[in-house]
Amino acid sequence: MKKSLKIRYTKKRLRSNLFLGLLWLTLGILSIVFSSQKFMMYSYSGLGILYLCGYFFENYYQYISIENDILILHKLKSQKIKLQDIQQIKNIKGDIILESESHKLKINPDLIEEESLKKLKSLFEENTKPSISI
């Protein structure tokens, strides 16, 4: 097993978050200059900052990282599961659900870059018991 592996977001997701963040921030700056409505100014700027923060967070941490046989799903509150504790892997409605005795983790493959998805599936095949199917 590799000591460290990052499962990356799709470039489309990252670019759209960056674009939306810059768009909302630009609208916020323009509303500061041309509008007297404070609500709109703060709303646009706030949305822009949130999207840009989301972009930087997702670009830095990516979707999933695997370090020392621990799978970490990066969100505001990260979820962790040890690979050897996985008892069942289900594929329900296009989502991959990992279950252990105490944890349940849902992975959305639509958010994962194609090459990273292949690596993730091969990792599951290497580290799962024969009774588990993906």
Side-chain angles (χ1 to χ4, degrees):
M1 161 69 201
K2 297 176 185 173
K3 288 288 180 193
S4 180
L5 177 66
K6 284 209 179 219
I7 305 301
R8 304 185 63 76
Y9 279 106
T10 60
K11 287 182 177 25
K12 179 182 177 184
R13 178 181 175 89
L14 292 173
R15 286 182 189 145
S16 66
N17 280 348
L18 178 62
F19 174 76
L20 288 171
L22 292 173
L23 175 72
W24 286 115
L25 193 59
T26 302
L27 287 173
I29 291 169
L30 290 174
S31 69
I32 289 171
V33 174
F34 296 113
S35 177
S36 63
Q37 295 179 352
K38 298 240 185 256
F39 174 75
M40 297 306 279
M41 172 180 62
Y42 293 124
S43 298
Y44 292 150
S45 299
L47 277 173
I49 290 169
L50 285 175
Y51 269 103
L52 288 175
C53 287
Y55 165 76
F56 288 119
F57 179 84
E58 290 178 354
N59 193 42
Y60 181 77
Y61 288 107
Q62 293 299 322
Y63 190 45
I64 297 171
S65 62
I66 300 166
E67 297 175 12
N68 300 325
D69 291 338
I70 297 175
L71 186 141
I72 304 166
L73 180 65
H74 296 285
K75 298 180 177 182
L76 286 177
K77 185 175 187 240
S78 296
Q79 296 177 309
K80 298 178 183 180
I81 191 168
K82 291 182 181 179
L83 292 177
Q84 65 265 21
D85 292 345
I86 296 173
Q87 295 179 339
Q88 193 170 21
I89 299 175
K90 298 178 186 175
N91 194 344
I92 299 176
K93 295 182 184 177
D95 291 335
I96 300 169
I97 299 174
L98 309 175
E99 293 182 357
S100 70
E101 281 186 26
S102 59
H103 291 86
K104 190 174 185 179
L105 197 115
K106 185 171 135 181
I107 298 171
N108 184 349
D110 295 334
L111 300 178
I112 300 175
E113 188 178 58
E114 192 65 37
E115 190 62 35
S116 291
L117 186 59
K118 290 176 186 175
K119 289 179 187 177
L120 184 66
K121 286 185 177 181
S122 70
L123 176 81
F124 288 153
E125 290 171 3
E126 290 172 9
N127 290 300
T128 55
K129 301 169 187 86
S131 64
I132 299 174
S133 64
I134 299 175

